[in-house]
Amino acid sequence: MTKIAVLVSGGGTNLQALIDAQARGEIKDGKLDFVLSSNPDAYALERAAKAGIETDVLRRRDFADAEQYGAALHEKLTARGIGLIVLAGFMTVLPDSFCHKWQNQIINVHPSLIPSFCGEGFYGLRVHEAALHKGVKVTGATVHFVSEVVDGGAIILQKAVEIEPDDTPETLQKRVMAQAEHILLPRAVSLFCQGKLHVQDDRVTIE
């Protein structure tokens, strides 16, 4: 049984999708064991508490640099025997050394079809604003492994979402969450915990 840690910073809608999926028995061979927030006021912490998941807070500003932050985070996760880290709206950039230690054990969900609208500066509503500004007809979400390159890790799953003529960044964000992110993330987590994801040459194959 793989112990899963979810790293959060805000409302925790993707965390809730994982909690709900676990309650439905959709996360095979894995268990949500720990939720850590970079923000002590994150509503995601309340979601975790209601689900009976242990929580903790680790603020970047309490550490001199990213390396010290990463070391403290690594210590907390290894002490719990965590086997998979899920970034669910985690707004703190992890240092390269941390990503290297946890290579192919960290997954993230990004609200676009990578490689479109991703990388440095593309997060939250900014992604949807960019998609609408560009005038693309289809967007979506991507679940990928985390590497030292922002949004550059191997792609696990993707799902397309059509853009409507009257979309705003806010309406598009909600639809991408409901139609893609909340579906893909639990599926990818379950596949990982079942040992069905294999990475070779920056490409993921699924059994």
Side-chain angles (χ1 to χ4, degrees):
M1 183 69 70
T2 300
K3 290 185 176 181
I4 304 161
V6 184
L7 275 52
V8 299
S9 296
T13 55
N14 276 311
L15 169 63
Q16 190 64 54
L18 290 169
I19 292 170
D20 294 343
Q22 178 170 269
R24 295 191 299 265
E26 295 173 6
I27 298 179
K28 308 295 184 183
D29 300 328
K31 179 183 179 182
L32 298 173
D33 179 75
F34 186 48
V35 171
L36 182 139
S37 177
S38 61
N39 171 18
D41 298 320
Y43 183 65
L45 293 170
E46 293 187 33
R47 295 181 189 271
K50 289 177 182 177
I53 304 169
E54 189 169 337
T55 65
D56 201 350
V57 175
L58 201 65
R59 300 187 302 178
R60 170 64 182 84
R61 68 183 183 183
D62 292 336
F63 296 84
D65 55 37
E67 288 297 328
Q68 289 186 23
Y69 184 83
L73 179 58
H74 175 76
E75 184 177 348
K76 285 183 178 291
L77 297 175
T78 53
R80 296 190 68 90
I82 296 299
L84 172 64
I85 302 168
V86 179
L87 306 185
F90 189 63
M91 299 303 294
T92 299
V93 177
L94 298 169
D96 291 354
S97 58
F98 182 90
C99 295
H100 181 73
K101 288 176 184 176
W102 292 85
Q103 185 176 18
N104 297 332
Q105 290 180 277
I106 313 171
I107 66 174
N108 179 53
V109 59
H110 182 76
S112 77
L113 296 174
I114 291 174
S116 295
F117 314 116
C118 66
E120 292 284 353
F122 283 99
Y123 58 88
L125 283 176
R126 291 185 180 185
V127 179
H128 305 294
E129 289 169 354
L132 292 175
H133 179 74
K134 187 65 176 178
V136 296
K137 309 307 178 189
V138 175
T139 186
T142 303
V143 178
H144 62 94
F145 283 110
V146 173
S147 69
E148 293 84 352
V149 178
V150 177
D151 297 330
I155 292 171
I156 301 169
L157 296 171
Q158 290 185 303
K159 190 175 188 296
V161 174
E162 291 190 5
I163 292 178
E164 303 293 342
D166 59 348
D167 263 331
T168 64
E170 291 79 9
T171 61
L172 184 57
Q173 181 184 54
K174 289 179 181 179
R175 198 163 64 258
V176 168
M177 283 183 179
Q179 295 184 10
E181 294 182 49
H182 296 169
I183 296 169
L184 294 184
L185 189 57
R187 187 181 301 166
V189 167
S190 186
L191 288 169
F192 179 96
C193 294
Q194 293 175 82
K196 293 185 175 183
L197 301 179
H198 305 281
V199 184
Q200 185 173 8
D201 300 326
D202 293 326
R203 295 173 66 94
V204 176
T205 57
I206 302 174
E207 289 183 10

